[in-house]
Amino acid sequence: MEQLNCPCQSGKQYKDCCGPLIAGERKASTPEELMRARYSAYATAAIDFIIDSTHPEQRESNDRDAIKDWAEKSEWTGLEIKSISKGGPEDQSGTVEFIAHYSDHGMKMDHHEVAEFRRATDGSWLFFDGKLVKEPTFKRTAPKIGRNDPCPCGSGKKYKKCCGA
């Protein structure tokens, strides 16, 4: 059964968006287009495309079975492009910061990464490497409540016997 809406959430139909790239009918014209196709490949478990769209210098580090397992066991729920740098017609590299939303065993997850893309000798774009974006550390603005302090809810009990229990 043909998928109607593209998993990359471009608003286009799969057959007019990522489908032709994944099928090898055409090459991505920008790093963003390749990023969207790679996300759709994970969502449709098109493992060959994921491997083939990886730069040859990086393919050895790919574990086909692990990629297949992650792709098939996850429910891919959306792609959010945060920023794009370079990747124009004259550029040899470009980056795409994205968040891939998915569920793993019912638990909602986010894969936030800055992906680097490089041109191959034939001019096509390939995924080269990715760096995870660490979420900012939570900083407390209010003073910490001690176990033996009065509970801030106003019950008159110690925090450890009330809301801290």
Side-chain angles (χ1 to χ4, degrees):
M1 181 174 154
E2 187 177 336
Q3 199 164 355
L4 294 179
N5 295 326
C6 195
C8 80
Q9 295 185 323
S10 64
K12 299 176 187 173
Q13 290 188 352
Y14 180 75
K15 68 180 181 69
D16 298 325
C17 190
C18 295
L21 277 74
I22 293 171
E25 297 168 7
R26 69 177 187 86
K27 301 280 187 182
S29 60
T30 65
E32 179 187 3
E33 190 176 36
L34 182 57
M35 180 63 247
R36 289 183 176 282
R38 286 176 58 86
Y39 175 85
S40 293
Y42 277 100
T44 59
I47 309 309
D48 288 339
F49 179 79
I50 295 167
I51 301 294
D52 293 345
S53 65
T54 301
H55 196 281
E57 291 178 27
Q58 304 289 30
R59 286 187 192 156
E60 278 188 31
S61 63
N62 282 300
D63 181 340
R64 179 180 286 277
D65 293 334
I67 293 169
K68 184 175 191 252
D69 189 52
W70 187 34
E72 290 177 345
K73 288 186 178 176
S74 299
E75 178 187 343
W76 300 90
T77 57
L79 176 66
E80 187 179 339
I81 303 293
K82 301 296 277 181
S83 68
I84 300 164
S85 177
K86 296 187 180 179
E90 303 301 317
D91 294 322
Q92 294 301 305
S93 66
T95 61
V96 178
E97 180 181 353
F98 69 94
I99 302 175
H101 303 285
Y102 65 100
S103 292
D104 184 11
H105 295 91
M107 183 179 211
K108 290 182 179 183
M109 307 287 283
D110 294 324
H111 179 85
H112 191 172
E113 179 179 301
V114 175
E116 178 187 356
F117 296 86
R118 294 186 182 172
R119 281 204 195 268
T121 54
D122 68 358
S124 63
W125 287 103
L126 295 170
F127 169 75
F128 187 77
D129 198 8
K131 292 184 175 40
L132 290 177
V133 175
K134 294 184 180 175
E135 296 304 317
T137 305
F138 173 78
K139 294 196 178 190
R140 184 184 323 275
T141 56
K144 185 175 178 181
I145 301 167
R147 291 174 27 95
N148 291 316
D149 291 341
C151 191
C153 77
S155 67
K157 297 180 183 178
K158 290 184 178 182
Y159 178 69
K160 69 180 178 185
K161 296 283 186 176
C162 189
C163 293

